[in-house]
Amino acid sequence: MASTSVCQMMMLLKDIVPSAANSVNTKFILLEKGNIKASKKCVVVNGVNKLQETKECMSLVADESASVHFLLWNTECEAFEPGDIVQLTNGIFSYHRNKLVLRSGRKGKAEKVGEFTMLFVEKPNMSDVQWQVNESDAKKLKESITSTELQKPPS
C-alpha cells in the first residue's frame, strides 16, 4: 500500500516550480553528465577546523513532459551514468550558484531504478523557464512564456 501512495505523489518535470521546500518526487532518465568538479571548504567538527572535499556534477535529465538540469553531489557523481533511470524523493528545485536546478538536497534521496527504457523529451527545459511572482497570489510563481523553446508545437 505504501508504494501506491508514493506513485500518486510522483510529478512530471513540467509541473515542478521553484521552492525552498524539499517536495519534488519524480522519476527521470539521465541524458548527459558533465565533468565532476571537486572543491574544498572549511568546516568545524567538534570545535576543530577541518577541510572537507565536496564534489558536484551538473547533468541533464528528462521525462515524457520536459527536461531539467539536475545537480549531482558527492557520491551521486559516481553513482549515476547516462541512461540510468532515477527516482527522486523529496528533491528540491531551487537556485544554486544563480542557476535553477533540481537536486536531492540534504533531505532528499536519488536512487537508480532502471536503465535505458524510458520515453522522454528534451524541451522545454524547466531550468530555462523565466519565473515571475503571480500578481493574484504573491506566494505562488507563474511561468513567463517568453522563450520560443517553451511554445508548444502545433497539433
Side-chain angles (χ1 to χ4, degrees):
M1 186 172 261
S3 63
T4 304
S5 62
V6 170
C7 289
Q8 291 172 349
M9 297 183 334
M10 296 293 256
M11 62 178 38
L12 294 172
L13 292 178
K14 72 175 180 68
D15 297 326
I16 62 176
V17 295
S19 172
N22 286 71
S23 58
V24 179
N25 298 306
T26 189
K27 186 164 71 169
F28 48 76
I29 186 166
L30 193 144
L31 302 178
E32 298 174 9
K33 183 173 148 183
N35 294 327
I36 297 172
K37 296 178 184 172
S39 62
K40 293 185 180 185
K41 66 178 182 177
C42 188
V43 295
V44 178
V45 179
N46 297 327
V48 178
N49 288 339
K50 294 192 176 203
L51 279 179
Q52 180 181 25
E53 183 177 85
T54 59
K55 297 176 188 174
E56 62 182 55
C57 177
M58 191 63 72
S59 63
L60 180 67
V61 300
D63 68 8
E64 64 268 21
S65 68
S67 66
V68 69
H69 291 107
F70 184 65
L71 184 63
L72 300 168
W73 284 90
N74 294 326
T75 58
E76 292 175 343
C77 293
E78 287 89 16
F80 302 111
E81 294 297 329
D84 288 349
I85 297 172
V86 179
Q87 183 167 323
L88 178 65
T89 308
N90 295 323
I92 186 168
F93 186 51
S94 64
Y95 286 93
H96 173 74
R97 298 187 182 167
N98 297 319
K99 293 180 183 177
L100 199 52
V101 298
L102 182 61
R103 54 197 164 101
S104 58
R106 296 180 196 266
K107 298 177 184 176
K109 178 181 177 184
E111 63 181 322
K112 181 178 173 178
V113 294
E115 53 189 32
F116 300 117
T117 53
M118 183 172 181
L119 294 174
F120 66 89
V121 296
E122 293 186 58
K123 291 182 182 178
N125 184 321
M126 298 308 289
S127 294
D128 295 337
V129 171
Q130 299 297 312
W131 296 92
Q132 300 174 346
V133 175
N134 187 335
E135 292 84 19
S136 63
D137 186 351
K139 292 183 180 179
K140 293 186 178 177
L141 296 172
K142 67 177 183 176
E143 296 176 45
S144 172
I145 309 296
T146 56
S147 171
T148 55
E149 286 185 14
L150 299 175
Q151 310 226 346
K152 293 182 180 177
S155 300

